Amino acid sequence: MNVILLGPPGAGKGTQAQRLEERHGMKQLSTGDMLRALVASGSALGQKAKEIMDAGQLMPDELMVQMISDRIAQADCAGGFILDGFPRTVRQAEALDEMLAAQGMKLHAVIEMRVADEVLVDRINTRIAQSQTARSDDNVETLKKRLDVYHGQTAPILPYYEAQGRLITVDGMKSIDQVSEEIEAILTAAV
Ligand code: AP5
């Protein structure tokens, strides 16, 4: 199955994507992790990515679309994938529809994980406190910008998928296990 997990920073996309990968062998495709690998490479593009991520802004659509297009064409995605962090703009969502159609692939579920902003701030603060190597975009100031970008640029994806009859929303404020159960039920129904 091919699945999109949508939600603001700290909604639990990565947590649930990892579980799906472990349980079902679907490949987790985290654009944030891909960009952090690019930053670690030390390339000029990686340096640019770091500046944009640290500012809480989005990378250019064309770059992200190319990154995902290259990735889903690889053999390890043949058994299904979970998009974690992509699409993040309506332009990316449109491009994804085009690339899936061109490759004869289907989207089985678009799952929005809805979490109130104040809960997200608590979660990211907990993640900062627990991590020995905190992400450079995990701080209160950048998180506020990331949330603004989510509401302004990413949330318009929700009506896009709703209009296609694909959007399913889960309460991301339940426990991690409860959210997993809801996602499992959605995937079972989507088979
Ligand atoms: P990215 O790495 O995708 O970050 P994000 O979307 O801000 O998401 P997070 O990783 O912070 O949160 P998450 O939803 O995965 O939550 P998690 O499972 O970690 O993107 C980083 C940056 O890269 C962007 O700002 C942008 O600059 C750039 N970028 C990436 N993709 C792009 C794109 N497509 N286009 C343009 N730019 C792009 O959970 C968070 C914490 O909460 C954890 O500690 C977890 O244990 C806890 N938790 C999870 N679920 C629960 C629960 N149910 N109850 C209690 N705690 C929970």
Side-chain angles (χ1 to χ4, degrees):
M1 296 184 82
N2 303 321
V3 176
I4 297 176
L5 294 182
L6 291 175
K13 304 181 294 294
T15 303
Q16 296 298 335
Q18 262 174 26
R19 286 184 165 207
L20 289 174
E21 182 171 273
E22 283 159 17
R23 284 182 189 168
H24 302 291
M26 301 149 76
K27 197 71 197 164
Q28 176 188 7
L29 302 183
S30 160
T31 42
D33 286 350
M34 292 177 202
L35 289 169
R36 283 183 280 279
L38 190 63
V39 172
S41 75
S43 67
L45 186 57
Q47 180 56 36
K48 186 73 194 155
K50 180 171 166 41
E51 286 167 17
I52 291 174
M53 292 165 81
D54 285 355
Q57 300 299 319
L58 296 182
M59 292 290 284
D61 284 337
E62 300 320 315
L63 181 90
M64 301 312 298
V65 168
Q66 192 59 51
M67 198 178 258
I68 283 296
S69 176
D70 292 346
R71 194 61 192 84
I72 64 175
Q74 290 176 23
D76 61 352
C77 289
F81 53 80
I82 312 136
L83 290 174
D84 159 12
F86 184 97
R88 257 182 155 92
T89 64
V90 172
R91 176 67 202 117
Q92 291 182 15
E94 291 168 344
L96 178 65
D97 280 348
E98 288 160 19
M99 81 176 79
L100 291 175
Q103 301 198 31
M105 289 174 160
K106 192 180 162 202
L107 197 54
H108 297 84
V110 179
I111 302 171
E112 176 204 5
M113 304 171 66
R114 194 171 291 175
V115 180
D117 283 7
E118 55 274 20
V119 174
L120 299 169
V121 174
D122 284 348
R123 283 188 190 175
I124 298 293
N125 280 333
T126 305
R127 184 165 72 183
I128 295 167
Q130 289 173 348
S131 171
Q132 305 210 322
T133 50
R135 280 169 42 173
S136 57
D137 61 347
D138 263 357
N139 56 72
V140 174
E141 195 188 332
T142 307
L143 176 61
K144 190 179 173 320
K145 289 184 193 143
R146 287 159 62 199
L147 282 173
D148 287 346
V149 166
Y150 178 79
H151 292 300
Q153 297 185 56
T154 304
I157 293 177
L158 303 175
Y160 175 85
Y161 285 121
E162 201 166 23
Q164 294 184 354
R166 283 177 161 158
L167 185 71
I168 303 173
T169 299
V170 299
D171 180 356
M173 294 194 284
K174 291 183 177 170
S175 73
I176 292 175
D177 285 346
Q178 285 172 319
V179 175
S180 291
E181 277 173 30
E182 285 195 26
I183 291 175
E184 290 293 334
I186 291 166
L187 298 191
T188 302
V191 173

